[in-house]
Amino acid sequence: MKEEEIRPEKLFDELLRLNREDIKIYFSDSKNTKINCSACGNEGIFSFNKDGFDFDECKQCKTLYVSPRPDKESFNNYYTNSASSKFWATTFYKATEKNRREMLWKPKAEMILNKIQYFSPDTKKVIDIGGGYGIFIEEFLKISNLKHLVIEPSEYLSKVCKDKGLKVMVKFLEDVEKNDLPNIKKTFVSFELFEHLHSPELFLKVLHDIMDKGDLFIFTTLSGMGIDIQTLWEKSKAISPPMHLNFFNPKSIKILLDTIGFKTLEVTTPGKLDIDIMKNNKEMINDRFWKNYIEYSNEDEKKEMQTFISKNNLSSHMMIVCKKV
Ligand SMILES: [Zn+2]
């Protein structure tokens, strides 16, 4: 898989351009509050400013995060009304839907089924938080007979799911109550949501409250210790505020999960794109080793390096399996 196949450069750059326009509209009057590291609570140190947002890095656990953080209302407004959100949900989505289904969602459905069979084989229901267009659940139901539910706050997206015949709860996670969910063994999943969260801690607390003991939570997010992000740093396109605010890593995410009361069962980085992303942005790499490596290595060597990166928790695409105990 190549980055271009799931994130065509032209569309991606247009998304980032619209995003920069939206920042002026939705964030110029926001109230900003200085925050500590979202993982370990220590004070961070300023690392860089990007598009008007300051990023702090925690010296203890290496979490990278936006601080001062604008108020939640500005984000709600931005996600509901902004041109970049619309562009993402319509133009970008439509142009990449087919490739994303084949290259991302099908393998992800298989991976999640394997995790469930291994860590929680008596799961009866899979609940996708922020399920969007419902493609994960659609693909998952092709290979599993488990019950399902999509929790999706957007009226538009939840209608798309309903039209596909999927079961949907039209709510924000924080409005879901324990009584809304059946008392059977459940696995909750969420994909590429965590990096967007205004308060990852609050999200996990709310989720922990509505889960039953023994329920599983599997999620994917960006790792700030991922090799492409570390190498490109502020020039990394993944560091795109106000969309992406939180960059945990395999070690720091465990600290946060422990604090909330989850037991972390596994952290992996099954990402496949780090080297390709670096190749696509090679003129922005300053590090001598990686700059030369990208030029010097052939395709087979790159492939092998990517396998090493993924295996050693060094990719920027991270998957976490945890449990309420
Ligand atoms: Zn920290």
Side-chain angles (χ1 to χ4, degrees):
M1 174 172 60
K2 298 283 180 201
E3 188 188 18
E4 182 67 21
E5 293 168 317
I6 57 153
R7 267 196 303 263
E9 194 183 5
K10 270 192 188 158
L11 290 179
F12 195 28
D13 286 345
E14 174 62 5
L15 176 71
L16 296 178
R17 189 191 67 78
L18 288 172
N19 194 46
R20 280 189 287 273
E21 296 289 310
D22 286 333
I23 290 168
K24 291 177 217 152
I25 303 171
Y26 296 95
F27 290 90
S28 48
D29 295 328
S30 60
K31 288 191 200 84
N32 304 332
T33 312
K34 186 88 185 154
I35 58 165
N36 283 352
C37 171
S38 317
C40 73
N42 281 303
E43 220 173 290
I45 291 171
F46 173 78
S47 183
F48 57 85
N49 179 288
K50 188 161 183 182
D51 300 334
F53 295 83
D54 283 349
F55 281 80
D56 282 2
E57 187 189 19
C58 176
K59 285 295 159 202
Q60 306 280 332
C61 74
K62 307 285 179 209
T63 297
L64 178 71
Y65 58 97
V66 169
S67 175
R69 192 158 291 208
D71 57 287
K72 192 156 192 299
E73 210 189 339
S74 302
F75 285 97
N76 289 349
N77 223 340
Y78 162 79
Y79 277 114
T80 316
N81 303 312
S82 72
S84 50
S85 293
K86 285 199 183 99
F87 183 81
W88 168 258
T90 55
T91 312
F92 194 96
Y93 166 77
K94 285 199 179 100
T96 57
E97 182 188 5
K98 207 166 156 254
N99 280 354
R100 285 180 165 257
R101 181 187 289 273
E102 291 301 317
M103 294 169 184
L104 299 180
W105 294 112
K106 275 193 177 162
K108 198 161 269 173
E110 269 173 36
M111 217 186 279
I112 296 298
L113 183 59
N114 287 338
K115 300 289 178 205
I116 292 173
Q117 284 167 345
Y118 184 78
F119 289 108
S120 184
D122 50 346
T123 289
K124 299 280 184 290
K125 188 170 201 152
V126 172
I127 302 179
D128 188 357
I129 307 165
Y133 284 88
I135 300 181
F136 167 74
I137 290 290
E138 269 187 291
E139 290 304 321
F140 188 79
L141 293 178
K142 288 180 187 167
I143 55 171
S144 163
N145 294 321
L146 294 178
K147 293 175 193 297
H148 76 275
L149 177 69
V150 176
I151 299 178
E152 174 52 59
S154 148
E155 291 287 341
Y156 170 71
L157 292 172
S158 53
K159 189 178 176 306
V160 173
C161 289
K162 279 180 194 162
D163 290 346
K164 287 175 174 175
L166 301 178
K167 295 192 175 62
V168 192
M169 189 181 283
V170 191
K171 279 187 177 182
F172 283 101
L173 182 73
E174 48 264 52
D175 300 324
V176 177
E177 287 174 30
K178 205 162 194 271
N179 293 336
D180 292 336
L181 304 172
N183 188 15
I184 50 174
K185 188 59 83 67
K186 298 173 284 296
T187 289
F188 294 78
V189 296
S190 97
F191 304 110
E192 279 71 65
L193 177 72
F194 216 72
E195 59 270 31
H196 296 260
L197 295 173
H198 187 259
S199 171
E201 194 187 355
L202 182 65
F203 175 89
L204 286 176
K205 272 186 185 156
V206 168
L207 177 61
H208 193 267
D209 281 349
I210 60 167
M211 285 169 85
D212 287 311
K213 271 189 181 170
D215 284 352
L216 212 59
F217 176 42
I218 309 176
F219 63 109
T220 56
T221 185
L222 292 163
S223 164
M225 285 301 286
I227 220 144
D228 61 313
I229 292 182
Q230 281 288 312
T231 308
L232 292 160
W233 206 229
E234 74 266 34
K235 288 172 188 140
S236 164
K237 287 183 189 172
I239 300 181
S240 53
M243 292 183 278
H244 297 168
L245 307 170
N246 317 299
F247 298 82
F248 292 88
N249 57 61
K251 291 181 183 167
S252 75
I253 194 68
K254 189 177 176 303
I255 299 173
L256 176 59
L257 289 166
D258 280 351
T259 311
I260 309 292
F262 284 98
K263 182 176 167 44
T264 306
L265 302 175
E266 185 187 72
V267 183
T268 52
T269 64
K272 293 187 166 66
L273 291 176
D274 308 71
I275 292 289
D276 194 48
I277 291 170
M278 283 159 74
K279 191 177 146 192
N280 295 340
N281 296 279
K282 62 176 187 288
E283 66 285 353
M284 286 187 284
I285 300 176
N286 293 322
D287 180 82
R288 172 186 285 271
F289 172 79
W290 286 114
K291 201 178 185 62
N292 284 336
Y293 176 83
I294 292 296
E295 249 186 69
Y296 179 76
S297 58
N298 62 33
E299 281 304 306
D300 284 347
E301 288 161 345
K302 283 192 178 70
K303 222 172 146 186
E304 209 163 305
M305 179 63 90
Q306 182 62 50
T307 306
F308 176 88
I309 288 167
S310 304
K311 263 192 188 164
N312 288 280
N313 273 3
L314 296 170
S315 166
S316 57
H317 177 69
M318 169 164 78
M319 180 182 279
I320 300 100
V321 183
C322 60
K323 191 178 183 173
K324 174 163 174 171
V325 285

